[in-house]
Amino acid sequence: MQASKQWRMMGTFIDLWIDSDLDCEKIFINITDELLALNQCFSANQETSELMQLNHLAGVCPVAVSPALFSLISIGKQHSLAQPSHLNIAIGPLVKLWRIGFKQAKLPTPTEIFATLPLLNSEQIILDSQQQTVFLARKGMEIDLGALAKGYIADYLMAKLKKQCHSAMINLGGNFLAFGPNPKRENGKWYVGIQHPQKPRHQHLGILAIENQSVVTSGIYERFLMVDGKRYHHLLDSQTGFPFETRMASLTIVANQSLTCEIWTSRLFGLPISEALAVIEQHPELEGIIVDQENQVYLSSGLKSFYYPNR
C-alpha cells in the first residue's frame, strides 16, 4: 500500500511517502511521535528543548545530555573545527541577533555584532564522552544545530522506515532522502529539481535523478532581510558577523546519508567555487552542484550523467 502524509513542524513542511505492506496509519503515528521527540531534543527555537536547556547553562556548569544530542554536537564540533569549513555550531548568538527568517529580523549594529563574535568559538564547547556532558565554557554561548538537525532526523527516520517499507521518501523542508525504487517511474529513480535561484519556487534549472540517496541544498534566495534596498541572506559568516560574501547562489550535495549532505553544504557554502568543487572531488562519497549568481551551473564529475538541464 502506498500512502503519504505532511506535517507542519520545525518551521517547515515535512512530507513522507511510503510503500508498505504494514498499516501505514500506524507508521505515520509512530513517525509523528518521533518528530515531536527529536524537535524537543534539537530545537534552538523552543525554550523547553533539551538543546536550549543546555544553552541556558552556558558558563555555569557541564550538562548531561541524551545520546542523540551528544552525538550530533560531537559531530558538529568536529566539522566546525575542520578545514576548510564554514560550519560553526556555536553560531547561535549571531543567528539570534539577526533573526533572518523570523518576524523579529533586523539589521544589527556593528557594536552588537562585534560584541557577539567572541561567543562563536566551537573550541569552547567542552565534551566529556565518559560522562556524556557538554559544557559551554563562556556565558552567552549558544549552540545552534539548524545546519545539521534535519539531516540527522531524516537519516534516523529512514533507518526505521527501511525495516517497514519497500520504498520511502522523506522531504524535510527541502532536505530530500529516498530509499528503494520509485514505483511511479519505470526506471525506479527519484527526480529532484534544482531550484532556479532567481525564479519562484518549483521553477528549476534542471533535474537530478537519484536512487537510495539524499539531496540537500543551501542557498541565499529564500530566507533574507531587505533593509534600505540591500538584501541580507541568512547564511552568516562567524568571522565577520555578516552574511557570506560569495559568488554562490546555491550549493547542492548528493550523498547516501542526509547528515553527510548537511555537513558538506554547510562546510563548503561560501568558499570560492573552484575550491568547493575540488573538495567535493576529493571525497568519493560526495557529489555536488553549484549555481552561481549568474545562474551558471557547475557539476562534480560523478553527476554529469544524472543531471538533466532544462532547455
Side-chain angles (χ1 to χ4, degrees), residues 73-83 85 87 89 267:
I73 291 174
S74 299
I75 293 167
K77 178 180 177 179
Q78 172 194 342
H79 286 279
S80 295
L81 297 177
Q83 293 297 326
S85 182
L87 172 65
I89 63 167
R267 282 187 58 166

Side-chain angles (χ1 to χ4, degrees), residues 86 91 94-95 97-101 106-108 113 117 120 219-221 223-227 230-248 269-271 293:
H86 280 162
I91 203 170
L94 188 64
V95 172
L97 190 61
W98 284 82
R99 298 297 287 169
I100 295 174
K106 63 164 188 169
L107 175 61
I113 290 173
L117 294 181
L120 314 181
I220 63 173
Y221 47 83
R223 290 173 56 192
F224 56 87
L225 170 67
M226 294 292 295
V227 179
K230 183 169 182 178
R231 181 181 176 125
Y232 299 87
H233 64 77
H234 77 291
L235 296 172
L236 301 173
D237 185 343
S238 56
Q239 297 299 311
T240 67
F242 284 87
F244 285 109
E245 299 277 347
T246 177
R247 284 184 57 226
M248 288 185 185
F269 191 93
L271 290 178
Q293 298 202 36

Side-chain angles (χ1 to χ4, degrees), residues 32-217:
T32 301
D33 292 341
E34 295 282 7
L35 284 168
L36 291 169
L38 291 164
N39 189 49
Q40 181 64 22
C41 180
F42 297 132
S43 176
N45 300 307
Q46 190 170 306
E47 286 299 312
T48 59
S49 74
E50 186 181 5
L51 176 62
M52 288 308 297
Q53 296 305 305
L54 166 63
N55 286 337
H56 292 326
L57 290 170
V60 178
C61 62
V63 179
V65 299
S66 64
L69 185 56
F70 189 88
S71 174
L72 192 53
I73 291 174
S74 299
I75 293 167
K77 178 180 177 179
Q78 172 194 342
H79 286 279
S80 295
L81 297 177
Q83 293 297 326
S85 182
H86 280 162
L87 172 65
N88 183 359
I89 63 167
I91 203 170
L94 188 64
V95 172
K96 290 202 167 177
L97 190 61
W98 284 82
R99 298 297 287 169
I100 295 174
F102 296 88
K103 291 181 180 179
Q104 309 93 326
K106 63 164 188 169
L107 175 61
T109 66
T111 300
E112 288 174 321
I113 290 173
F114 184 76
T116 300
L117 294 181
L119 302 174
L120 314 181
N121 185 355
S122 290
E123 288 185 349
Q124 293 188 322
I125 301 171
I126 311 302
L127 303 174
D128 185 330
S129 57
Q130 294 296 320
Q131 300 297 320
Q132 292 277 292
T133 61
V134 182
F135 179 46
L136 305 184
R138 185 163 180 165
K139 192 170 180 61
M141 288 181 69
E142 287 198 27
I143 292 174
D144 188 318
L145 296 172
L148 302 177
K150 288 196 296 182
Y152 181 98
I153 291 167
D155 290 337
Y156 178 88
L157 296 178
M158 189 61 83
K160 292 182 174 293
L161 291 169
K162 284 180 178 179
K163 300 174 183 177
Q164 305 172 77
C165 302
H166 304 297
S167 300
M169 182 279 294
I170 298 171
N171 188 345
L172 211 167
N175 183 316
F176 187 93
L177 178 61
F179 158 71
N182 180 353
K184 299 178 182 178
R185 297 281 185 172
E186 190 172 330
N187 62 5
K189 291 190 176 182
W190 301 84
Y191 290 81
V192 183
I194 302 302
Q195 175 65 38
H196 193 301
Q198 296 177 1
K199 292 186 178 180
R201 186 178 286 195
H202 306 309
Q203 295 195 32
H204 302 136
L205 279 169
I207 302 293
L208 190 62
I210 67 163
E211 47 189 337
N212 295 315
Q213 289 173 303
S214 180
V215 180
V216 173
T217 299

